[in-house]
Amino acid sequence: MSRFDYVLVGGGLQNGLIALALRHHQPTATIALVERGDRLGGNHTWCLHEQDVPSSAQAWMAPLITYRWSGYQIHFPQVSHTLDDVYVGVSSERFGTVVAEAIAGHAGSSLRLGTEVTQVAADGVTLKSGEAIHGTAVIDARGLTRGEATARAGYQKFFGMEIELESPHEVALPIIMDARLDQTEGFRFMYVLPMDDRRLLLEDTYFHDSPALDVVRLEGEIRDYAAARGWVIKSVVRTERGILPMPWADRIEPPGRGPLVAGYRGGWFHPGTGYSFPIALRLAEFVAGRPADRVFGPELDDLARRHRGQARYARFLNRLLFRWYPPKARRYIFERVYRLPMRSVHNFYALRLGWVDRVRFLIGRPPRGLSLLHRLTHPPE
């Protein structure tokens, strides 16, 4: 049996960040990272507001930053905003390289790619080969399986194309929501990231009742969006897709004494936006901030309790979005959000809402489109 201080199951965002935080804060700690796929990080582009990176994480986060912009834009049919808030992006390619180098560069650690885990326990894991790996602290951050998805949820689903253009584009800042699109099927927006002067990532995103993803249709919508702006596509560099649950009634179980179930499966994500990088950072800094034999206990219980409180409010907003608003009216909730003070908007995305922020979301007249008829014809499951 191999023995390590930390055994990380799953090589996605959460465990990759934990590995980097451990290497920075505990350089002598031994780590085993086990990933079923043949690469770390999957196929994603993660973005976050730079101010969400705590000072204690800035040094080890720096190598991950692939893109940096001085602000971003929001567009709705009746109003647009340009926000002066540094926005950064992390490509899965760079993420995978940095994490792999951090583990491979330590003689006592082990990176297992293409390796399936059949059993996870508080003190270790069993591989499909039969090999056992012991860990003082075990973190299970494998993603949700199809059978684990909750029925008490709407979905954020998207298809993205990273494209190279025939000529330079004019997009200087990311457009994190361009909702000047047809809203018949739910809140819909295009997400636009300028990678360089000829390269863009365009993601067609829906907040929808169904998890079904029609890739052919969304690719056509992306091409139409590009054509309407005079962008001639030279080539498609890569594509990415995602179907993220937006639950309104899930329960997040206390962490107990291990293993720590993290990421989407453990409820450590933002139920209302998919912006989970700040949450993953907090958990990574927590795990790396103490010896492996002290990860579990009252401090972790307190962190989980505070996260559950924040997530509970976000799930309440999801219930409003999906149960009280018909699909064509859901954009009005987000128009309302961006009329709030920017501090409250930022706290919402970081899932760090104070009581003042929560009151601001609810005071005054409700956003346009609230429908008692929709609520009565869509009772809780």
Side-chain angles (χ1 to χ4, degrees):
M1 176 186 289
S2 304
R3 293 182 177 274
F4 298 87
D5 296 319
Y6 299 86
V7 175
L8 311 180
V9 187
L13 176 65
Q14 181 64 83
N15 274 344
L17 293 180
I18 289 175
L20 293 178
L22 284 168
R23 187 57 64 236
H24 178 78
H25 294 298
Q26 299 186 49
T28 62
T30 56
I31 305 167
L33 196 161
V34 185
E35 163 58 35
R36 182 175 60 180
D38 58 2
R39 58 182 291 183
L40 298 174
N43 179 30
H44 303 283
T45 303
W46 295 285
C47 289
L48 71 156
H49 303 89
E50 191 174 54
Q51 62 179 291
D52 287 336
V53 181
S55 58
S56 58
Q58 288 175 2
W60 63 262
M61 266 288 297
L64 294 177
I65 303 301
T66 317
Y67 310 101
R68 178 178 277 102
W69 303 276
S70 60
Y72 57 90
Q73 297 178 323
I74 304 286
H75 298 297
F76 288 95
Q78 305 301 324
V79 62
S80 292
H81 302 278
T82 298
L83 300 111
D84 185 18
D85 187 1
V86 177
Y87 197 61
V88 297
V90 176
S91 71
S92 57
E93 182 178 8
R94 179 175 293 187
F95 177 88
T97 298
V98 173
V99 174
E101 289 176 350
I103 296 176
H106 188 270
S109 296
S110 175
L111 174 61
R112 308 285 191 96
L113 296 177
T115 303
E116 188 170 346
V117 171
T118 58
Q119 185 176 358
V120 180
D123 61 349
V125 302
T126 303
L127 308 184
K128 188 176 182 179
S129 65
E131 179 185 356
I133 300 177
H134 176 81
T136 303
V138 178
I139 294 92
D140 183 359
R142 293 172 293 176
L144 284 173
T145 65
R146 192 178 292 268
E148 290 174 311
T150 177
R152 296 175 296 173
Y155 298 89
Q156 177 183 171
K157 56 186 182 181
F158 63 87
F159 177 73
M161 295 169 58
E162 187 177 327
I163 57 175
E164 183 181 359
L165 304 178
E166 292 283 0
S167 57
H169 58 77
E170 75 291 354
V171 183
L173 298 175
I175 304 170
I176 67 171
M177 281 185 182
D178 186 351
R180 298 171 297 187
L181 305 171
D182 178 74
Q183 300 289 318
T184 304
E185 296 185 45
F187 179 47
R188 178 190 171 211
F189 59 91
M190 197 68 70
Y191 186 76
V192 183
L193 290 183
M195 309 298 207
D196 60 35
D197 62 346
R198 291 175 184 257
R199 199 158 49 100
L200 295 168
L201 175 63
L202 304 181
E203 286 189 353
D204 197 359
T205 303
Y206 284 81
F207 286 16
H208 200 274
D209 295 321
S210 166
L213 187 67
D214 187 342
V215 170
V216 173
R217 175 184 169 186
L218 268 62
E219 178 175 349
E221 292 174 345
I222 290 172
R223 291 184 180 275
D224 290 344
Y225 182 90
R229 284 145 187 82
W231 300 333
V232 179
I233 299 175
K234 179 180 179 180
S235 64
V236 177
V237 179
R238 66 181 186 92
T239 62
E240 60 182 70
R241 67 189 70 185
I243 303 170
L244 308 177
M246 297 179 66
W248 57 75
D250 274 1
R251 293 182 60 212
I252 301 173
E253 297 297 332
R257 294 298 175 266
L260 171 56
V261 183
Y264 267 81
R265 179 180 285 183
W268 295 86
F269 68 97
H270 194 313
T273 68
Y275 272 68
S276 297
F277 214 118
I279 299 160
L281 270 176
R282 284 175 213 149
L283 188 56
E285 281 289 284
F286 176 88
V287 171
R290 53 205 26 84
D293 60 359
R294 288 180 48 204
V295 168
F296 297 94
E299 292 176 311
L300 179 58
D301 293 341
D302 183 62
L303 179 68
R305 178 189 57 77
R306 286 184 277 119
H307 173 66
R308 285 197 301 272
Q310 293 283 334
R312 187 178 301 116
Y313 189 80
R315 294 197 302 273
F316 163 71
L317 295 177
N318 284 349
R319 179 180 288 274
L320 288 180
L321 180 69
F322 289 102
R323 312 309 288 174
W324 286 88
Y325 282 80
K328 65 182 180 181
R330 288 171 185 164
R331 71 175 174 89
Y332 294 120
I333 291 182
F334 289 88
E335 285 188 5
R336 164 74 171 271
V337 167
Y338 280 97
R339 290 191 174 98
L340 297 174
M342 282 315 302
R343 181 178 180 83
S344 291
V345 175
H346 185 266
N347 286 344
F348 172 66
Y349 276 96
L351 204 60
R352 195 172 50 222
L353 293 160
W355 69 268
V356 173
D357 303 313
R358 301 182 189 214
V359 170
R360 282 172 174 163
F361 273 88
L362 299 177
I363 61 174
R365 296 182 61 183
R368 292 171 56 191
L370 185 143
S371 170
L372 178 59
L373 177 61
H374 184 76
R375 178 65 181 86
L376 292 175
T377 55
H378 293 74
E381 288 82 356

